[in-house]
Amino acid sequence: MLKLKKKDTVVVLAGKDKGKKGEVREIMAGKMKVVVTGINIVSKHKKASKDKPGGIHKVEAPLSISNVQLVCPKCGKPARVKITIQGKDKLRACKKCGEVII
Ligand SMILES: [Zn+2]
C-alpha cells in the first residue's frame, strides 16, 4: 500500500532540496515517484511555437518516493507511518503521536 496521498506534506530526505518541505501534487504510482510543489525545480528550455514564446520554464521534476517522508500534521515531524484499521478502513497513523493522518 502506498503511504502517500495528494496534498500530503512531505519532507525531502535526499538531493538538492534535502530538508525542505512541500505538498504532494502528483503521485506516479507506477514509477514510484512523486511531484512535490516547490521541490526539485529544474529549468526546461522550450522552443517557441506559434502562439507561445519560447524560453526557460521552471518545472518540478518528480522525486523518488523513497526520497521523501510524510510529515505528521500534528507533531510536525517526519513521521513513520503505521496502518491502523478502523472498522473497514485502513488508516495511516503517526508512530510518534498516534495521530491518524487522513
Ligand atoms: Zn505525529
Side-chain angles (χ1 to χ4, degrees):
M1 173 178 173
L2 210 56
K3 287 178 181 166
L4 290 174
K5 291 183 188 176
K6 274 187 189 181
K7 306 249 173 160
D8 276 345
T9 299
V10 294
V11 63
V12 181
L13 302 176
K16 63 175 181 173
D17 286 325
K18 188 174 175 182
K20 284 192 192 170
K21 288 180 190 171
E23 186 179 87
V24 174
R25 201 175 66 204
E26 202 180 327
I27 294 178
M28 305 157 109
K31 293 184 184 166
M32 298 301 283
K33 286 183 178 237
V34 288
V35 177
V36 183
T37 303
I39 300 292
N40 209 23
I41 304 272
V42 294
S43 298
K44 281 200 174 172
H45 294 262
K46 268 199 170 175
K47 278 185 190 166
S49 64
K50 262 185 214 160
D51 35 48
K52 282 183 188 167
I56 297 171
H57 290 244
K58 299 208 180 257
V59 293
E60 287 117 344
L63 291 162
S64 170
I65 278 179
S66 59
N67 284 344
V68 299
Q69 189 168 17
L70 184 64
V71 173
C72 171
K74 190 173 181 194
C75 60
K77 294 187 178 137
R80 287 186 176 270
V81 169
K82 61 181 178 184
I83 303 297
T84 60
I85 313 269
Q86 286 189 4
K88 284 185 220 160
D89 297 324
K90 278 187 187 172
L91 300 172
R92 305 174 302 170
C94 171
K95 271 188 187 170
K96 274 192 188 129
C97 66
E99 178 79 355
V100 171
I101 304 165
I102 303 293

